[in-house]
Amino acid sequence: MQIEDGRVATFHYTLTDDDGTVIDSSSGGQPMAYLHGAQNIVPGLERQLAGLESGAKLIVDVTPEEGYGAHNGVDPQAVPRSEFPRDADLKVGMGFRAQGSDGNEMVLFISDIRGSRVFVDTNHPLAGKTLHFDVEIMEVRESSEGERAHGHPHGPGGHHH
Ligand code: ZN
C-alpha cells in the first residue's frame, strides 16, 4: 500500500541539520504517525513521502521554504516572566499562541530564558534551516472516519484523546 492522501503512514526518522547535528529522532522510541494530506508534517517531507510503501528507507532533504520557513531576520524580544501565566512550564523551544498588535493570532517561540526575562521569537527554532530526514517507512494503512474528521491519526504514534 502506497502513501497517499487519506492514508496513515508510520515512520521512524532522524532529523539532522547541515552540520549533521541530530535535532530530533524517533530512534529507540515509537515511530511517528501522520495522516497524509492533512499537513501533520512539514510540506517538503510530506510531498516526498507520497507514493512510498512500508519498508522504504531514504534521506529526504527539505528546504526552509518547505520546512519551517525562512528566517524573517527579526531578533527575539525580551518579555518579563510575569507576563506569562504563573503555572506555565516555560521551556526553550516551546511554541505558544499569542495575539499580535494587529489583533491576529500568531505563533511565538521561546528562544531563551534568562532569569526573569523570557526571549520570544517570531521564528520557529528551525526557521531558515535545511532539514535532512533519514526516514524508514514502517506502516501504511487506510485511515478511519474519525481520523479523517480530526485531521490526524489516532493510536500508537498519533493522538490519544
Ligand atoms: Zn483525534
Side-chain angles (χ1 to χ4, degrees), residues 129-147:
K129 294 196 181 195
T130 299
L131 311 173
H132 308 277
F133 291 93
D134 190 334
V135 169
E136 180 177 6
I137 308 297
M138 308 306 290
E139 187 195 22
V140 183
R141 63 170 172 83
E142 299 292 355
S143 58
S144 70
E145 206 173 304
E147 288 174 325

Side-chain angles (χ1 to χ4, degrees), residues 66-146:
E66 281 198 300
Y68 291 97
H71 197 281
N72 62 21
V74 178
D75 289 331
Q77 289 202 324
V79 173
R81 173 69 181 82
S82 56
E83 289 198 13
F84 292 86
R86 184 184 284 269
D87 60 353
D89 184 20
L90 304 181
K91 289 196 177 82
V92 171
M94 86 192 271
F96 61 93
R97 289 177 194 284
Q99 205 155 38
S101 49
D102 57 2
N104 289 327
E105 195 176 73
M106 57 202 287
V107 180
L108 299 171
F109 300 90
I110 295 175
S111 64
D112 200 3
I113 300 172
R114 283 184 231 157
S116 62
R117 292 190 306 167
V118 178
F119 288 78
V120 168
D121 198 341
T122 52
N123 294 286
H124 186 280
L126 297 177
K129 294 196 181 195
T130 299
L131 311 173
H132 308 277
F133 291 93
D134 190 334
V135 169
E136 180 177 6
I137 308 297
M138 308 306 290
E139 187 195 22
V140 183
R141 63 170 172 83
E142 299 292 355
S143 58
S144 70
E145 206 173 304

Side-chain angles (χ1 to χ4, degrees), residues 6-77:
R7 287 180 176 161
V8 172
T10 306
F11 64 96
H12 270 296
Y13 69 94
T14 297
L15 170 60
T16 51
D17 63 13
D18 278 338
D19 302 326
T21 304
V22 175
I23 297 166
D24 194 13
S25 178
S26 65
S27 176
Q30 200 157 51
M32 160 106 177
Y34 81 102
L35 176 61
H36 195 83
Q39 300 173 326
N40 295 168
I41 57 177
V42 294
L45 180 59
E46 183 169 57
R47 182 174 62 75
Q48 294 180 73
L49 295 184
L52 297 177
E53 298 183 11
S54 156
K57 286 186 187 182
L58 74 165
I59 308 272
V60 177
D61 297 321
V62 175
T63 62
E65 289 70 28
E66 281 198 300
Y68 291 97
H71 197 281
N72 62 21
V74 178
D75 289 331
Q77 289 202 324

Side-chain angles (χ1 to χ4, degrees), residues 146-147 149-154 159-161:
E147 288 174 325
H150 285 192
H152 56 227
H154 295 152
H159 285 242
H160 301 271
H161 57 161

